[in-house]
Amino acid sequence: MPHLSVRARLAFWHTSILAALLGASAVVSVAFLRQSSARRTDGDLTDTWSAFRSELISERSELPSLALATADALASFRLNNVAIVIFDAKNAIIGMKALGESQGDVGDFAPAFHPEEVPRIVGGRFGDASAFATIPDSEGGYRIFSAPVYLPKERTTLVVARSLHQENEAIEEAIATFAIIAPIVLALAFLGGWFLAGRSLSPVGAMSERAARISASTTSERLPVVNPRDELGRLAIVLNDLLDRLAEALSQQRRFMTDASHELRTPVAVVRAVTDVVLSQDTRTVSDYRDALDTVQREAGRLSRVVDDLFLLSRADIGERPVRRRSLYLSEVIAESTGDLAPLATERGITIESNLPDEGCPFEGDEELLDRVFGNLVDNGIKYSPDGSRILVTLADRGSWYEASVDDEGPGVAADLQDRIFERFFRVNDDDFSVPGAGLGLSIVRWAVEAHGGTIAVGKSARGGARFTVVLPKNARPEGTISG
Ligand code: ADP
């Protein structure tokens, strides 16, 4: 039924299960009815048999022959919906009678009940022991009970028979009534199921209608939550949470695009302005050209750094920049990245002090990314510290992790901005162009540290400036890691 709607399928299954239950209970009820009516019939037969037996014994004690005694007993016995047949010891019929008929006649038991057939039908036990048997016919047949009666001088076999037609008719009537009622019940059940399924599924219709209206330009739309406690309500809540996250991701993406284009536009605008000015006059001094080219070179460098950072971040986002781990010494990596920045520090009279353990600190990590982490932190230290100040770089082995820190004597980072500075394009003084940067460095640093399973935090340094602390666990193997 894959082409049917959920509503139709629910109603169909609901009705099918009810039909199966009704069918099964009908079969069980009919079987039970048949069994109890058979038990009642057999009880009636044996009661009648015993009563007639007493009658026969008493008549025989008074009359000279069995034939006379039988005839008298039959004449005086009140028949109760049964036929009685008496056989002699040779299985020949001595007498018989049925309801409302004269002796020697099976009356309304005719034509299916043939008394002379009884010995054959009962079989070998006839005349020796008691036995029940059923004579079938198209309307339910007859039930017979036969057992020997021992009189003082002879043995007879007394047979009582009862028609099963009435019981059969009652059962058939019950079946016919059921056959009429069951389809009506099932039809009502289908309608009820259809109505209930429609009611319970109506929130789904409302949800899909609303979902169809949600697009990239209508991210504030949410699915209706009819009842937050039922399954569909919970589904709507979960989907709304998902929409919240998608909307947040979309708006982050948009912010990123706006910030990125802003960062790219600035150097391009500077280059255009400088070249326009230089080219606006036919003759320029060599020094004018040199100054202009210096600016172009600086801005091109800035542009390419921003493009490189953006490229690295977007590759990290889509998982295309895996962490390539190999064995290295952390103190060597830190010493190298610090060493590379020494000329920059010297230019500003800044001293970089290092406190790195002699053991080297073996670590499984991505050298390029770790170099980026410590290079960026020390570079920021130089950028945001006053001339002539000091920067302290330390590394310590803490058992199952390494802890590295970079302290400076700059302005530090205000407590409420300590999380934000790791966001993409966030700069504390965004319009201060004296310090170069696009606000991408720390977001790359945080990604690289976390890709190693570590954490980074900023706080206040004892030296008055900022203190960046990096924790790198020795045994972390986060996903997206390649050994090599
Ligand atoms: P960028 O340095 O290119 O602006 P970063 O992501 O490296 O970008 O840093 C983000 C911001 O965090 C910086 O603009 C600066 O305001 C602040 N910051 C970073 N390092 C320091 C530091 N050592 N001292 C004070 N502020 C800092």
Side-chain angles (χ1 to χ4, degrees), residues 43-53 77 79-80 82 84 160:
D44 282 358
L45 285 176
T46 48
D47 288 352
T48 310
W49 185 93
S50 306
F52 190 80
R53 173 179 169 273
F77 193 73
L79 293 177
N80 185 17
V82 294
I84 293 181
V160 281

Side-chain angles (χ1 to χ4, degrees), residues 369-453:
L369 292 184
L370 292 171
D371 176 58
R372 190 90 199 224
V373 168
F374 296 105
N376 240 306
L377 292 178
V378 176
D379 185 35
N380 277 352
I382 298 169
K383 274 198 314 192
Y384 297 105
S385 295
D387 292 354
S389 60
R390 285 174 309 160
I391 291 173
L392 174 65
V393 182
T394 64
L395 174 64
D397 188 339
R398 302 266 186 241
S400 56
W401 74 88
Y402 291 114
E403 190 178 302
S405 60
V406 179
D407 288 60
D408 63 44
E409 294 172 352
V413 180
D416 56 332
L417 298 178
Q418 287 179 352
D419 276 337
R420 298 210 59 200
I421 58 166
F422 295 100
E423 287 173 13
R424 290 172 190 190
F425 295 110
F426 182 83
R427 306 196 76 202
V428 175
N429 298 310
D430 200 14
D431 32 11
D432 177 6
F433 296 108
S434 65
V435 184
L440 291 174
L442 285 181
S443 48
I444 293 176
V445 167
R446 182 169 66 177
W447 164 72
V449 170
E450 287 175 356
H452 281 85

Side-chain angles (χ1 to χ4, degrees), residues 66 85-94 115-120 123 126-128 148-150 153-159:
L66 178 61
V85 188
I86 305 108
F87 293 84
D88 66 10
K90 293 193 182 89
N91 293 351
I93 295 174
I94 313 170
E116 65 282 1
E117 295 275 300
V118 172
R120 187 185 59 77
F126 188 82
D128 289 333
V149 177
Y150 295 97
K153 291 193 182 115
E154 64 264 287
R155 172 179 66 83
T156 66
T157 304
L158 178 56
V159 172

